[in-house]
Amino acid sequence: MARDQLKKTASWAALKYVRSGTIVGVGTGSTTAHFIDALASIKHQIAGAVSSSESSSVRLKSYGIPVFDLNDVHLLPLYVDGADEINDQLQMIKGGGAALTREKIIAAVADCFVCVADTSKRVEKLGRAPLPIEVIPMARSYISRQLIRLGGWPKHRQNVITDNGNVILDVYHLDMSDPIQLEKAIKALTGVVTVGLFAERGADVALIGTTHGVSILQKIFLQNTQD
Ligand code: 5RP
């Protein structure tokens, strides 16, 4: 089955997580575009959406779905977005579409993050894809040098300015054996706006489109039992 069909199947499966009357958080990318199409089919049952990019806002509005400013939204039960990679702990690399900062903000607000992806995005260990980092333009060279110190090979993404007016560095060959630590270390560099590692706040559910249907991965919460 074509990859795009797998993205579509996963995205439509996310509809069952949408609660009627609520505002839905919507991500960015070709998989999320399918989710917006799916959302349009139930648009009269939702209050509207908050969006992680101008491109997703345009698509939502083209269906007549109201797009809210996140500052006016106090409850966000659900955020649906794609990923460039996702592991079994539901940690992700995101930002292939350069929307990582707004994606991370909406993910932080949402109660439940549902990641929709085709099976090619599922990995045992993160790091096959480059790690996108949004940086303040004047800090690009400084941050590149710091990333080299961390073992990475940064590459300036040409001709891309984010919705926030910043630039993207795609970093190859970073050691991702401890994604949470790496996320913290990169976040701490002055001039970094956002790192596309979603490890501290990963997804809560992943819907993975496969040729045999949609696989559902869920976070397992280990209970601490004390006598
Ligand atoms: C955009 C993203 C996307 O979710 C990610 O790049 C996946 O894209 P696609 O669904 O087109 O494969 O993080 O910043």
Side-chain angles (χ1 to χ4, degrees), residues 7 28-32 81-84 94-100 103 121:
K7 292 180 180 194
T28 298
S30 55
T31 316
T32 311
D81 198 359
D84 299 309
K94 291 184 48 52
L100 59 162
E103 293 173 344
K121 306 292 184 67

Side-chain angles (χ1 to χ4, degrees), residues 82-87 90-96 100 103 115 121 123 125-132 170-171 174 176 179 182 195-199:
D84 299 309
E85 282 187 1
I86 183 161
N87 66 15
L90 306 193
Q91 298 168 320
M92 295 163 286
I93 288 181
K94 291 184 48 52
L100 59 162
E103 293 173 344
C115 174
K121 306 292 184 67
V123 295
K125 189 172 174 232
L126 296 174
R128 194 179 56 195
L131 177 64
D170 289 309
V171 193
L174 281 167
M176 298 218 189
L182 185 65
V195 51
L197 249 184
F198 286 57

